[in-house]
Amino acid sequence: MLDEKIEESVDILVRAYKTHGDSVVFLTSFSMEDNVISDLMSRAGTGIKHFTLDTGRMPQETYDIMEIISNRYGIMPEIVFPSTDEVENMVRAHGINLFRSSTSMRELCCETRKIRPLNRILSDKRAWISGIRSDQTGFRGQSEIVESDPLRPGIMKYNPLLNWNSDHVKEYTGKFMLPINALYSRGYRSIGCAPCTRAVLPHESERSGRWWWEDGIKECGIHAPVRFKPVMREEE
Ligand code: SF4
């Protein structure tokens, strides 16, 4: 079963590279899923450029795994930062921890620290690769393995792990002894910025530790509109 998933995902990565060459990039947060993709890329020999978003609020453990993975695969990820002017203006107007005050302030922070830098990177690219899985959120469940980016017209998005579940990711990680972010061993299951991520209990959902004080959809705007409303099927 895992072998089939590996083969399918490698095929997708090879297809992305053959189709777009240097105009396709891989956005990694050095999550377990993204590290699987880095490993698959090394098997496929695609040479697709890695980039990552440094929001300025990341946990130290994420910088540590960034360095470990970069050394393991000999990659030099492009680290993309938000605009200094935009962050300074936002903090001056709304405070350093504005994301705690309201959902709209949280969205402003995510837009400033994540979405605009991502859009800047993609502005001269034709496609990008993400490590989302369909079982993570409602919007991700409606994604396709190869799709037009629903948030960035004209840009293609490849989701090679869309049909994997967390057990597949864990199995791959164990089988090929991939290093992982140390926070996973402390109960974290989805890792983002330090002030907006916490460990979860075994019965809680994977993304419930993200912005846990909100009832929302647990998306920052990279993969889904922050105010996404899931499409209800008839039987629901
Ligand atoms: S996750 Fe939190 S700290 Fe990070 S960009 Fe979003 S609101 Fe800001």
Side-chain angles (χ1 to χ4, degrees):
M1 184 66 167
L2 183 64
D3 287 345
E4 286 172 23
K5 300 248 174 245
I6 293 171
E7 194 174 333
E8 178 191 56
S9 299
V10 167
D11 284 348
I12 293 159
L13 292 167
V14 169
R15 192 186 343 159
Y17 192 58
K18 280 186 176 168
T19 306
H20 303 288
D22 291 340
S23 202
V24 59
V25 289
F26 170 40
L27 172 64
T28 175
S29 65
F30 300 93
S31 64
M32 283 177 75
E33 285 78 8
D34 290 342
N35 294 345
V36 167
I37 292 178
S38 292
D39 197 77
L40 292 172
M41 282 182 180
S42 78
R43 292 162 181 269
T46 59
I48 293 173
K49 177 81 179 166
H50 289 55
F51 75 98
T52 192
L53 304 173
D54 185 344
T55 64
R57 303 296 299 251
M58 316 290 285
Q60 179 59 39
E61 290 82 354
T62 297
Y63 295 110
D64 293 341
I65 190 67
M66 186 185 301
E67 193 169 36
I68 291 167
I69 291 292
S70 300
N71 290 338
R72 176 173 170 129
Y73 297 106
I75 54 174
M76 293 183 59
E78 184 171 343
I79 303 173
V80 184
F81 298 89
S83 152
T84 306
D85 284 350
E86 288 180 10
V87 172
E88 287 180 355
N89 288 339
M90 176 181 74
V91 169
R92 191 177 299 121
H94 304 293
I96 191 71
N97 290 323
L98 71 162
F99 38 81
R100 300 256 195 249
S101 60
S102 69
T103 299
S104 59
M105 286 294 107
R106 196 274 287 174
E107 291 168 357
L108 174 63
C109 188
C110 283
E111 182 180 334
T112 303
R113 293 181 185 273
K114 292 182 175 181
I115 309 308
R116 290 183 201 159
L118 170 64
N119 291 346
R120 179 157 36 94
I121 277 291
L122 294 178
S123 64
D124 63 349
K125 300 290 183 293
R126 293 205 307 266
W128 63 295
I129 292 164
S130 96
I132 62 169
R133 303 189 339 258
S134 63
D135 61 354
Q136 287 172 318
T137 68
F139 188 86
R140 296 179 192 200
Q142 294 175 26
S143 300
E144 296 175 31
I145 290 176
V146 181
E147 61 183 358
S148 294
D149 186 332
L151 302 178
R152 297 166 191 87
I155 294 180
M156 296 299 294
K157 188 175 177 196
Y158 291 75
N159 306 307
L161 300 192
L162 197 69
N163 293 335
W164 293 44
N165 61 33
S166 63
D167 287 339
H168 297 131
V169 174
K170 284 180 199 156
E171 184 181 347
Y172 187 102
T173 299
K175 185 173 182 180
F176 298 105
M177 294 185 288
L178 303 193
I180 61 172
N181 190 318
L183 291 176
Y184 287 113
S185 64
R186 289 179 231 154
Y188 287 68
R189 292 180 61 201
S190 173
I191 301 168
C193 292
C196 300
T197 309
R198 71 174 182 182
V200 297
L201 296 170
H203 67 275
E204 291 179 314
S205 69
E206 185 171 319
R207 289 185 67 82
S208 60
R210 306 290 290 274
W211 312 289
W212 63 91
W213 60 90
E214 291 184 2
D215 292 329
I217 60 165
K218 309 296 182 187
E219 292 280 6
C220 64
I222 287 179
H223 300 292
V226 286
R227 297 190 188 276
F228 165 72
K229 299 280 187 301
V231 174
M232 302 300 284
R233 293 192 294 274
E234 281 186 7
E235 63 269 25
E236 296 173 318

